[in-house]
Amino acid sequence: MQVKVYNINAEECGKVTLSDEVFKTPYNEALIHEVIVAYLANQRQGTKSTLTRTEVRGHAKKPWAQKHTGHARQGSTKGPQWTGGGVVFAPKPRDFSKKVNAKAKKVAFKSALSKKLEQNEITVLDNISIEAKTKAMQNVLNNFKMDKSTVLVIDGANENVLRAANNIPTLSVVEVSLLNTYEVVANKNVIITESAIKKLEEACK
């Protein structure tokens, strides 16, 4: 399969052949969903913690007599109805992580990329060489008429590109080695450099 290659001015400057092994994978929505749910779950720290009534500092002495005081009956000032008391069903540290097989992750990733290509939402750049200025990066997006969420995939660290994209809320920059299914699905457009495609195809073999 061949797709057009553009320069940063949105002018066609060639073509690149894409691997059918990567970009012609059947769409598997269920597997993509499973991988994304696991990815988001694995981002959760699970470190929140509050005290139950047994852990609140203080004593468990009955604050007043059961009857004849005019007060509602109370057994302890550590109950949840008291200020400073314990929390009912207090959240405790827990592990939210989910396991997905490496092979399933790879299939879901290729499936998501194939769907993006089918929907004409992948744009291939010959390279991305710009000044470290927001205006320069915004001009590139304007040239391609991209005003929705976009992920720019580059083949390696590029300080100028990172700085230029830093103040554009609809744009995220990802090195190809860190690209995942979530980034592909969560963004409307995918811009990828020609050199990044080669690395991507090698990693997906």
Side-chain angles (χ1 to χ4, degrees):
M1 184 192 305
Q2 284 194 328
V3 297
K4 296 176 181 178
V5 178
Y6 298 89
N7 58 27
I8 58 175
N9 297 316
E11 299 167 342
E12 186 180 344
C13 59
K15 290 189 175 181
V16 63
T17 302
L18 301 181
S19 168
D20 287 349
E21 184 183 348
V22 177
F23 292 95
K24 270 199 172 181
T25 303
Y27 184 56
N28 190 332
E29 186 176 0
L31 184 58
I32 291 174
H33 178 267
E34 180 185 344
V35 169
I36 290 178
V37 167
Y39 172 82
L40 293 175
N42 294 341
Q43 306 307 302
R44 299 182 68 175
Q45 288 185 314
T47 54
K48 61 183 180 181
S49 181
T50 55
L51 304 180
T52 64
R53 64 185 298 158
T54 61
E55 296 167 325
V56 172
R57 186 176 181 183
H59 56 76
K61 182 182 177 183
K62 191 172 177 65
W64 49 70
Q66 179 82 345
K67 296 178 179 292
H68 311 303
T69 63
H71 292 296
R73 54 195 175 189
Q74 300 291 333
S76 167
T77 55
K78 294 164 69 173
Q81 73 275 22
W82 286 76
T83 300
V87 176
V88 181
F89 307 125
K92 292 296 179 184
R94 56 176 288 195
D95 180 15
F96 289 97
S97 64
K98 296 178 181 290
K99 183 180 181 299
V100 178
N101 293 335
K103 188 174 180 181
K105 284 183 184 178
K106 186 175 286 188
V107 172
F109 181 54
K110 293 192 290 186
S111 178
L113 285 171
S114 300
K115 189 66 174 177
K116 278 289 179 188
L117 185 63
E118 182 186 320
Q119 296 173 334
N120 295 318
E121 293 174 347
I122 292 182
T123 302
V124 181
L125 287 182
D126 57 349
N127 64 69
I128 180 84
S129 180
I130 59 174
E131 292 182 90
K133 293 186 177 180
T134 304
K135 186 176 181 180
M137 182 61 77
Q138 187 62 58
N139 285 339
V140 174
L141 295 178
N142 292 343
N143 291 337
F144 288 100
K145 296 181 172 58
M146 292 182 180
D147 56 356
K148 295 184 178 179
S149 59
T150 302
V151 59
L152 172 59
V153 185
I154 54 180
D155 64 343
N158 187 321
E159 187 64 28
N160 280 5
V161 171
L162 290 172
R163 291 182 64 183
N166 198 38
N167 286 328
I168 302 178
T170 58
L171 179 65
S172 56
V173 179
V174 179
E175 289 185 37
V176 66
S177 59
L178 300 176
L179 186 64
N180 56 56
T181 307
Y182 176 77
E183 290 288 350
V184 174
V185 173
N187 290 282
K188 172 67 175 174
N189 305 299
V190 177
I191 301 176
I192 184 168
T193 62
E194 201 170 350
S195 54
I197 283 182
K198 293 177 183 177
K199 288 188 177 181
L200 179 65
E201 291 178 340
E202 289 175 6
C204 288
K205 286 180 180 178

